[in-house]
Amino acid sequence: MEKCTACNARKGKRKCKATETFICSLCCGQSRSKDKCDGCSFYKDPEHTRNYRKVPFYETQEMSNSMVLPGISNVIESAIVQFYYDNDELVTDSDAARIVELLMDQYHFNDEEPRASDPLHTAGFDFLSLVIKGDLDDISEKELVKVLAAIYRSIQRRTDGRIEYINFVRNHVI
């Protein structure tokens, strides 16, 4: 096997689409860009691989110790449950998580339009956006993002893939 044509230090195990030579995985990872690597099996568009677990969030203790944060969370979680009822109880926890991801895309990652392929997710995003604009207009975006991320983590913690989180909210928040 030949040496990496980029660093000349390690074995070049990957055929680079851009240079048509063999490069090592480290150089491949460090030099990737959409322009030259689009279509390569090793390239993943960063916009489609967002790590929502790394979005800043309020810890559970911070949420419970605050006089304001639970109210913000209750507005959003009540809206999720309302959306569940408005859609004939067909919304699952994964749908709720995706809707919260779309909201984080807008408020944290600054997307102008939601990138949802499922009409249910688009409708949920639109519904929750209206609730946020109507009921939480005085909340800073930073605070809103941290509450959304805390809700997202709560969904991940409480779900087994069905509606466990939604049931929890229905029983304990509303």
Side-chain angles (χ1 to χ4, degrees), residues 58-121:
Y58 287 114
E59 296 282 348
T60 306
Q61 196 63 42
E62 285 179 280
M63 293 287 288
S64 63
N65 288 343
S66 171
M67 299 295 283
V68 176
L69 299 177
I72 299 168
S73 178
N74 286 346
V75 167
I76 296 167
E77 290 179 314
S78 296
I80 291 170
V81 172
Q82 184 61 50
F83 185 70
Y84 167 79
Y85 285 126
D86 289 351
N87 286 276
D88 302 320
E89 301 179 9
L90 297 175
V91 176
T92 65
D93 290 346
S94 61
D95 295 321
R98 182 63 188 131
I99 292 164
V100 172
E101 287 174 352
L102 292 170
L103 290 165
M104 288 191 286
D105 286 346
Q106 179 181 11
Y107 290 105
H108 180 71
F109 294 107
N110 300 315
D111 287 0
E112 292 189 23
E113 294 293 319
R115 293 178 291 114
S117 55
D118 187 328
L120 181 70
H121 298 158

Side-chain angles (χ1 to χ4, degrees), residues 4 22-23 38 47 56 60 67 71-72 77 94 102-103 105 109 115 130 136-137 140 147 152 167:
C4 171
F22 286 93
I23 63 173
D38 199 23
E47 285 200 11
T60 306
M67 299 295 283
I72 299 168
E77 290 179 314
S94 61
L102 292 170
L103 290 165
D105 286 346
F109 294 107
R115 293 178 291 114
L130 286 174
L136 301 174
D137 194 37
S140 74
V147 170
Y152 183 76
N167 283 335

